[in-house]
Amino acid sequence: MPDPEPVRFGRKRALPSCPNPLFLQWLTELRDEAKEKGLKIQYTYQKAINSLNKYPLPLKNAKEAKILQNFGDGICKILDEKLQRYYRENGKKQMGVEGKEKGGGGGTKRKKREYVPQKRSGGYAVLLTLYRQAQIPGSKGYMLKMELQTEAQSLCDKSFTVPDLGSKYTAWSSVSTLIQKNLLIKTHNPARYSLTDEGLALAERLESVERDVKNIPGEDISEGDGREEEEEERSLSQRATCAIQLSRDAGEGSLQGKPQSTLTSIRKPNRESLLPGAYEILLCVDFIETTGGSHHRKQELVKELQRNGVAFDVRKLNVGDFLWVAREKVTPVPGQLRAPVGRELVLDYIIERKRMDDLCGSIIDGRFREQKFRLKRCGLRKPIYLVEGSSSSAAHLSLPESTLQQAIVNTQVVDGFFVKRVQDVRESAAYLTVMTRYLTKLYQNRTLFCRSRELEGDISSNEEEGGIPFCSLISFAEFNHGAVKNKCQTVREVFARQLMQISGLSGDKAAAILGQYSSPHSLLAAYEKCGSEAEKEKLLSCIRYGKLKRLAAYFIITD
Amino acid sequence: MMISSDSEDELPYVPLAQRLKLRQDRAVLTERNAPNEAGSESERLLSLHQERRTTPTKVDNPPLRAFSTSESGDPSPTRTKAPKRTAEEIQASREEALKRRQARERQQQEQERQRAERKALAEAAKALRPEECIKHMVVAVDPALLQLEGGGTLLAAVQALGCSCSIEKQELPRSVTWARRAPTTQLGDAGCVPEPHVVMQMTVEDFITLIHNYIQVERHGRSDCSPTLTSWVQGQQRRHPAKTLSLAVIDLENYFRAQKSNSQKRFREAVAGEEPRGGKEKKKHKSGHTGKLPEVSRVEVEEAMVHLQLHTGVSVHFLSTWKEFSDHITMTTKAVAEAPFKREREQTGFSFYLESEWAGGQRVDRAGKGLLQVWKRQIQQFNRVSPDVAAAILAAYPSPQLLRKAYSQCKTENQKLALLADLLIRRGEGITSTTRRVGPELSKRLYLLMNSCDPEQILDAAV
């Protein structure tokens, strides 16, 4: 019997070479240009590319291309123009020779125009801010999102957080362009932004131009007071200093004459503060608590709160059902419809409300533990579990009542949450009402400080003594953003999750493996270095668990 | 069919983190133990032999094992053959033999110690497991709780759990506390580690009185010395700073019912013009409260409890019967017993939580069956990857090694980035089926995962 052919992996039938390389090339360029600019037409071009790829015959001109799907008048016209230009420049060459022709075709320049961000645009501000931070000796080499936004805002005309009317894009959107152009990289979770070598070079040039410009008129351009005021109105939450803010609130004019120190105080976080009387305590209700379901009981909660005169706001909370914010009192600006956005700091109390049937359902499908996990990590230190329901409501559910009761007790003892039991939705509303009133009273004369969780981390110790409430609070924006369910994944995280897909590999074992081989690449490389199967099996034996032999086998097999 | 790893079961199970730590310690020790003398090598060989003799099961001391053992265990192999030795030589060899013996003993002691340590760790870990932990719990009940009719049920319920119960006067009034018996010590109660959680039962009288005082202070500004609910609890907290308090009140509803019926009675009398029947009435309470309790409304109770929460973080449980109270105590006992195990389990150091869908892990048998499923699940660990998409990738590359090979066969990075982009996903059947590609974004994410050397690299494109 002749030797069986060695198994070939991958494609068995060779791909034919491209019959329409020019059209393909132009469409690809058009698509990439559109992608850079973030235009939706990139998808149109992509569809045309897909369809062209499936067509095996050479096309003589753009009109012929019209027979293909997704080739409409627009694209054909563009391709026709390009074709004409190509013929003019290259004589009537035969089309479709090889796919490897480069540099041909009209309209494409040899060297792409280098990306230079506009002065005082988002990209400009971000590059310059990171560059300046890098110049400080001993700097950490990266910045976190909130930090970067705060520091870069003064260099940028558009707000990093508040989109212009009619658009959903802010100056921050340009960061994705910078990343795509390899000027910036984003790593870790929570995200860290740092300059690449190219980014550094570009930023250096930006800085030197900036310096030259400054030197010419002989005074600080960017620190004028006039510009200050305008920026105030647009993005109040981005001020690094609180001088002007305080003066506006307290009605004093004395601070306005003060010369502004450089707003980009990179090293020291200049703490924003809210003075007593300048803010109000507001209950935030997750909008899912008020809609959905056939229960008009959900509406009843809101109605009760209204009847009790509770100041509340319905919004989308990424974690928890109720919480409280201290919101700055703002007065509308004459001449503008939209009132300026007040700063919001979130108080340490967060409530997860569970009716008995919800509790039962969430235990069964596993959400119960996941929700508690997320509540513990959200940055607020006083989680509350509001359990609504009487014994009768617990009676006819899928789980026995004792199981539910045990789960509630566990939440208090094991997870350390404050458990509040109420009979029905009216009592829930009563509890929220009383809590809001008491919190308002508690914070009556307190100055609040904005703390950034990214920069300063969480505070573990209970610094309260007696009746003094905690006054160093996170901003609502940072809190809600940080609690998003499906955050960006890092290599490490996905690798760990993948390891845990094997039975017997739990979190701590995955952590142990990651201690030695922090990415799949390094683990696979280590396996390749092993000489024999036995060695491969032993590779992870430092972790000494029989089932890991199977893990090793898994990485070796090539079936 | 799952074949469990056998050699594991001989040795006591010790949690991974501790095993790794032990390894490190042992590595340090063996380094330290190596004496810096000329006879060191032979000593090590000797001790290895000693090891072999005393511990037939495997002991992991790889540095020692590496030495080949051609020598026999005889301390002086050359005695019979060598010529007569001088006195100094004999003395020297005696000293050497002594040193070797000492080293051997030290080695043995070290191993004994390590073994005992490992055993202790294993036992400690075992004692925290859910099935075992409750047997080590000791529930201490204040005798005041047993004086009323519910006391019997409480004791019975606790004993039914399988843990020990002790009745002794507690530092906190009317409280139930817990302690965990440390398994290795042979001492009796001295080996008990107290748990921070405490449940204090409060009588309705005390509760209402404290709330009433609170209302007086809050509403009417009367600041006499009588304690309010909050100040009383704060006092207890100050005296026992290591304890986490929680309160329980039994049958508060009775108080409200009595209050309501009283007020209805008074109303009726006032309307009907009858004379109030004097103090006798107030004594005819159904509940048997002696003396009159101040009147407090439900809202006022709520307010006092919120005030308590904000200032002390202590919660109050309302239970209607003594049976419910004893159930509560048994559930709390179970929770306290299992708490360390559960908290330990959550300490992975990862910021994600494995949803229940993925939490189990796929069983793989010795033949390798199930590995395909594992790979499919692994592909789905990325955000936004559905089973259909995973199936498409799986069909093209049924194992990670194949994928890796394909990446290595690509010539440019762009090729690698886009390797999976054009794989078709089959969705729907027949007429309604659509063709969808895996797409460049997911292709990029997979490429980055398999080929990046930086664990902190972000896969998603979103900013």
Side-chain angles (χ1 to χ4, degrees):
Chain A
M1 200 167 94
D3 278 334
E5 224 186 37
V7 183
R8 258 173 62 217
F9 300 117
R11 191 163 257 289
K12 303 266 196 300
R13 185 166 58 98
L15 258 179
S17 57
C18 179
N20 294 298
L22 285 177
F23 282 174
L24 187 62
Q25 179 191 326
W26 293 331
L27 283 172
T28 313
E29 282 167 3
L30 285 165
R31 180 200 67 188
D32 289 339
E33 271 174 37
K35 208 168 165 188
E36 261 172 55
K37 299 187 193 144
L39 298 173
K40 283 203 188 153
I41 202 168
Q42 58 172 297
Y43 303 118
T44 317
Y45 290 131
Q46 178 63 54
K47 285 202 275 195
I49 291 171
N50 291 344
S51 141
L52 184 62
N53 274 332
K54 296 187 200 156
Y55 190 69
L57 302 174
L59 294 160
K60 274 197 233 103
N61 53 35
K63 231 190 257 179
E64 279 195 16
K66 248 213 197 148
I67 60 169
L68 299 172
Q69 252 195 349
N70 298 317
F71 274 76
D73 289 330
I75 289 188
C76 292
K77 186 155 172 233
I78 296 175
L79 288 177
D80 203 38
E81 284 173 22
K82 286 197 188 259
L83 195 59
Q84 298 308 320
R85 222 178 312 166
Y86 177 82
Y87 285 155
R88 259 179 278 135
E89 292 182 7
N90 296 306
K92 225 179 177 183
K93 263 196 204 161
Q94 212 182 359
M95 277 171 30
V97 174
E98 276 146 13
K100 296 221 174 102
E101 255 193 20
K102 256 206 154 62
T108 51
K109 303 197 181 90
R110 285 254 314 168
K111 180 177 186 273
K112 279 213 190 102
R113 237 179 77 176
E114 194 193 335
Y115 171 78
V116 176
Q118 294 245 358
K119 188 145 190 236
R120 297 197 62 85
S121 68
Y124 170 88
V126 164
L127 285 174
L128 215 45
T129 307
L130 281 171
Y131 177 76
R132 289 181 182 169
Q133 192 225 24
Q135 300 312 302
I136 299 174
S139 68
K140 57 192 177 180
Y142 62 85
M143 285 177 92
L144 301 160
K145 184 176 177 183
M146 291 271 124
E147 186 187 7
L148 187 51
Q149 283 184 345
T150 313
E151 299 294 339
Q153 185 64 76
S154 55
L155 291 168
C156 178
D157 286 338
K158 271 212 316 182
S159 163
F160 276 108
T161 49
V162 182
D164 296 333
L165 277 171
S167 160
K168 66 170 180 178
Y169 296 108
T170 66
W172 187 255
S173 323
S174 51
V175 172
S176 53
T177 314
L178 293 177
I179 292 180
Q180 199 201 45
K181 295 206 170 294
N182 219 15
L183 297 167
L184 196 64
I185 76 175
K186 174 187 173 193
T187 55
H188 290 80
N189 197 352
R192 300 181 188 180
Y193 299 89
S194 43
L195 290 172
T196 61
D197 292 332
E198 292 150 11
L200 193 63
L202 179 57
E204 202 168 357
R205 277 183 282 155
L206 290 174
E207 175 79 351
S208 60
V209 167
E210 171 90 357
R211 247 181 285 132
D212 293 343
V213 168
K214 268 204 204 155
N215 285 338
I216 297 171
E219 55 175 87
D220 265 2
I221 293 185
S222 55
E223 326 297 355
D225 268 343
R227 192 185 273 281
E228 289 292 312
E229 301 292 338
E230 285 176 69
E231 281 190 47
E232 285 303 311
E233 258 123 77
R234 249 175 286 154
S235 52
L236 284 170
S237 40
Q238 294 314 305
R239 294 294 87 215
T241 60
C242 49
I244 291 193
Q245 211 55 35
L246 290 176
S247 70
R248 187 191 284 252
D249 283 338
E252 300 164 42
S254 54
L255 291 171
Q256 294 211 340
K258 213 177 185 176
Q260 291 303 308
S261 47
T262 23
L263 295 166
T264 54
S265 50
I266 293 175
R267 195 124 28 127
K268 189 166 57 96
N270 209 336
R271 286 191 138 194
E272 299 179 24
S273 66
L274 284 174
L275 287 184
Y279 61 89
E280 54 177 357
I281 302 287
L282 188 69
L283 172 70
C284 286
V285 179
D286 190 17
F287 86 110
I288 298 189
E289 286 291 309
T290 62
T291 64
S294 52
H295 316 281
H296 48 253
R297 266 178 252 150
K298 298 217 179 193
Q299 305 288 355
E300 185 158 336
L301 180 71
V302 171
K303 279 200 212 123
E304 275 292 311
L305 291 174
Q306 280 170 340
R307 270 181 236 146
N308 294 339
V310 177
F312 71 94
D313 185 31
V314 176
R315 45 176 88 173
K316 180 174 189 306
L317 298 178
N318 283 327
V319 64
D321 297 325
F322 303 98
L323 49 82
W324 285 269
V325 291
R327 185 169 67 180
E328 192 176 23
K329 290 186 199 166
V330 281
T331 48
V333 177
Q336 282 189 2
L337 269 182
R338 275 231 204 130
V341 180
R343 285 174 294 169
E344 289 185 344
L345 300 178
V346 61
L347 302 188
D348 258 341
Y349 299 90
I350 179 166
I351 299 186
E352 175 83 19
R353 171 175 169 241
K354 278 266 181 274
R355 288 177 30 178
M356 281 301 190
D357 50 2
D358 293 334
L359 181 62
C360 188
S362 67
I363 293 177
I364 292 178
D365 64 24
R367 276 181 302 130
F368 184 56
R369 279 182 62 198
E370 189 230 346
Q371 284 168 345
K372 287 197 284 186
F373 180 82
R374 288 173 61 219
L375 277 169
K376 281 191 228 179
R377 307 182 63 90
C378 70
L380 304 185
R381 303 168 323 137
K382 303 269 165 77
I384 301 169
Y385 231 76
L386 179 62
V387 182
E388 193 183 295
S390 55
S391 307
S392 57
S393 67
H396 301 292
L397 301 170
S398 324
L399 291 174
E401 190 182 336
S402 56
T403 309
L404 299 178
Q405 298 286 359
Q406 182 71 56
I408 297 169
V409 171
N410 286 349
T411 306
Q412 181 178 6
V413 175
V414 179
D415 300 302
F417 288 14
F418 184 93
V419 172
K420 174 79 185 177
R421 307 237 13 209
V422 292
Q423 291 291 308
D424 54 27
V425 69
R426 289 193 119 209
E427 281 194 23
S428 289
Y431 176 64
L432 292 170
T433 308
V434 178
M435 280 289 275
T436 310
R437 288 185 192 158
Y438 271 63
L439 282 171
T440 309
K441 208 160 95 172
L442 201 62
Y443 280 92
Q444 225 169 25
N445 290 317
R446 308 263 158 228
T447 306
L448 304 177
F449 296 94
C450 178
R451 168 168 63 97
S452 166
R453 208 175 158 208
E454 290 181 331
L455 288 177
E456 301 167 47
D458 291 329
I459 299 186
S460 51
S461 65
N462 225 342
E463 287 168 17
E464 289 173 21
E465 268 304 320
I468 304 175
F470 205 60
C471 291
S472 176
L473 308 172
I474 311 173
S475 76
F476 178 75
E478 187 180 342
F479 158 77
N480 214 19
H481 176 77
V484 167
K485 244 176 136 171
N486 273 336
K487 291 208 256 213
C488 288
Q489 295 174 307
T490 57
V491 167
R492 183 174 180 270
E493 178 188 322
V494 179
F495 185 34
R497 291 179 65 122
Q498 290 189 333
L499 288 172
M500 291 197 247
Q501 294 311 306
I502 300 184
S503 170
L505 246 177
S506 60
D508 57 343
K509 295 196 185 70
I513 297 179
L514 252 81
Q516 293 247 308
Y517 304 103
S518 59
S519 74
H521 185 259
S522 67
L523 179 59
L524 289 171
Y527 271 122
E528 276 181 12
K529 276 206 207 109
C530 291
S532 65
E533 292 275 320
E535 240 184 272
K536 287 185 180 171
E537 292 198 358
K538 280 219 197 78
L539 188 67
L540 292 173
S541 67
C542 66
I543 307 183
R544 216 161 147 237
Y545 198 79
K547 287 165 189 155
L548 277 170
K549 292 204 186 120
R550 262 155 252 146
L551 168 63
Y554 164 75
F555 278 106
I556 305 168
I557 56 147
T558 52
D559 61 17
Chain B
M1 179 97 85
M2 268 294 275
I3 305 169
S4 65
S5 43
D6 31 12
S7 54
E8 276 307 313
D9 301 335
E10 287 177 12
L11 292 168
Y13 173 71
V14 179
L16 173 66
Q18 284 160 343
R19 263 185 284 166
L20 286 178
K21 189 166 172 301
L22 270 181
R23 257 192 155 252
Q24 280 175 9
D25 293 348
R26 217 173 295 149
V28 171
L29 276 172
T30 45
E31 281 170 26
R32 246 187 277 147
N33 263 348
N36 314 334
E37 306 165 328
S40 59
E41 176 141 354
S42 54
E43 277 181 45
R44 264 189 245 148
L45 294 171
L46 291 171
S47 51
L48 179 60
H49 269 282
Q50 208 61 34
E51 232 188 84
R52 284 264 174 94
R53 261 183 251 136
T54 53
T55 56
T57 56
K58 77 168 187 274
V59 176
D60 52 332
N61 272 322
L64 294 178
R65 265 214 211 148
F67 290 96
S68 62
T69 54
S70 49
E71 274 205 43
S72 68
D74 195 357
S76 47
T78 55
R79 186 167 293 172
T80 47
K81 295 246 175 91
K84 278 221 182 86
R85 305 202 289 175
T86 64
E88 293 115 21
E89 282 178 343
I90 295 175
Q91 184 63 21
S93 79
R94 273 206 210 114
E95 281 176 7
E96 260 193 59
L98 188 65
K99 277 191 208 127
R100 269 177 269 167
R101 216 178 305 140
Q102 283 174 346
R104 224 182 304 148
E105 282 170 19
R106 252 182 286 141
Q107 190 70 300
Q108 262 181 317
Q109 280 171 4
E110 188 51 48
Q111 274 161 28
E112 280 299 320
R113 200 184 61 86
Q114 282 171 12
R115 230 173 298 147
E117 207 182 283
R118 228 187 312 154
K119 192 154 175 271
L121 276 173
E123 277 186 23
K126 194 171 172 221
L128 289 178
R129 296 261 289 268
E131 320 85 60
E132 282 289 309
C133 57
I134 204 149
K135 298 185 199 146
H136 301 280
M137 297 305 294
V138 179
V139 184
V141 180
D142 189 281
L145 283 176
L146 304 172
Q147 283 160 5
L148 301 173
E149 73 280 10
T153 22
L154 177 60
L155 276 182
V158 169
Q159 276 157 355
L161 274 181
C163 52
S164 355
C165 192
S166 87
I167 304 172
E168 51 196 24
K169 181 114 179 71
Q170 300 290 314
E171 291 166 359
L172 288 151
R174 306 183 71 87
S175 63
V176 179
T177 59
W178 287 267
R180 193 184 301 268
R181 250 201 292 269
T184 49
T185 57
Q186 266 73 35
L187 316 160
D189 274 345
C192 278
V193 178
E195 289 280 335
H197 198 82
V198 176
V199 174
M200 295 202 302
Q201 189 253 345
M202 251 194 165
T203 58
V204 175
E205 291 91 1
D206 291 338
F207 188 61
I208 293 295
T209 310
L210 287 175
I211 291 188
H212 179 75
N213 293 344
Y214 166 73
I215 299 294
Q216 298 308 305
V217 170
E218 277 296 303
R219 297 278 169 72
H220 313 297
R222 263 179 249 157
S223 52
D224 49 5
C225 300
S226 46
T228 67
L229 183 63
T230 309
S231 66
W232 186 83
V233 171
Q234 278 175 332
Q236 299 296 342
Q237 280 181 326
R238 263 194 298 268
R239 260 168 285 179
H240 304 97
K243 296 288 187 183
T244 312
L245 306 180
S246 75
L247 299 178
V249 177
I250 305 179
D251 206 9
L252 186 63
E253 279 307 304
N254 199 3
Y255 165 79
F256 284 122
R257 268 190 301 251
Q259 210 185 43
K260 189 167 168 194
S261 77
N262 270 343
S263 70
Q264 282 175 342
K265 219 176 259 181
R266 279 198 300 261
F267 175 71
R268 219 189 42 172
E269 281 160 8
V271 169
E274 292 167 12
E275 276 188 12
R277 291 200 212 125
K280 239 188 165 187
E281 246 190 59
K282 297 200 175 122
K283 294 217 176 94
K284 263 209 281 186
H285 287 187
K286 293 173 195 153
S287 59
H289 286 275
T290 49
K292 73 171 177 185
L293 271 182
E295 278 191 15
V296 162
S297 74
R298 285 185 199 264
V299 178
E300 288 169 342
V301 171
E302 270 304 309
E303 294 188 354
M305 294 209 296
V306 167
H307 190 263
L308 181 68
Q309 175 185 354
L310 293 181
H311 289 261
T312 64
V314 173
S315 62
V316 183
H317 293 269
F318 294 105
L319 306 143
S320 18
T321 62
W322 272 92
K323 164 112 194 357
E324 271 192 27
F325 179 68
S326 27
D327 287 341
H328 179 75
I329 294 294
T330 51
M331 287 192 231
T332 311
T333 308
K334 191 153 175 266
V336 169
E338 296 178 356
F341 172 76
K342 291 191 175 169
R343 280 187 217 134
E344 183 80 38
R345 207 169 43 164
E346 280 205 351
Q347 305 279 17
T348 54
F350 294 129
S351 63
F352 58 84
Y353 178 79
L354 220 55
E355 300 88 19
S356 58
E357 199 187 344
W358 305 118
Q362 170 75 32
R363 292 183 141 201
V364 178
D365 69 6
R366 210 166 245 191
K369 253 207 300 202
L371 286 174
L372 202 65
Q373 271 304 321
V374 172
W375 177 222
K376 185 171 186 203
R377 285 169 65 139
Q378 290 190 332
I379 300 174
Q380 290 184 47
Q381 293 312 304
F382 289 94
N383 282 341
R384 307 180 293 279
V385 173
S386 71
D388 286 338
V389 175
I393 298 177
L394 194 71
Y397 299 99
S399 97
Q401 280 296 335
L402 286 173
L403 184 57
R404 194 171 154 75
K405 260 215 187 99
Y407 278 131
S408 61
Q409 281 170 352
C410 288
K411 298 202 190 62
T412 72
E413 178 151 344
N414 278 338
Q415 273 181 350
K416 295 184 192 182
L417 276 172
L419 187 67
L420 307 169
D422 289 324
L423 289 173
L424 290 176
I425 304 170
R426 280 206 7 230
R427 236 174 81 231
E429 295 296 326
I431 302 173
T432 54
S433 67
T434 56
T435 44
R436 243 175 76 212
R437 312 181 305 146
V438 164
E441 198 258 333
L442 180 57
S443 178
K444 176 178 176 190
R445 281 195 275 159
L446 247 155
Y447 164 70
L448 286 177
L449 178 73
M450 302 280 288
N451 293 285
S452 167
C453 299
D454 174 16
E456 301 297 344
Q457 171 148 29
I458 289 198
L459 301 171
D460 299 283
V463 184

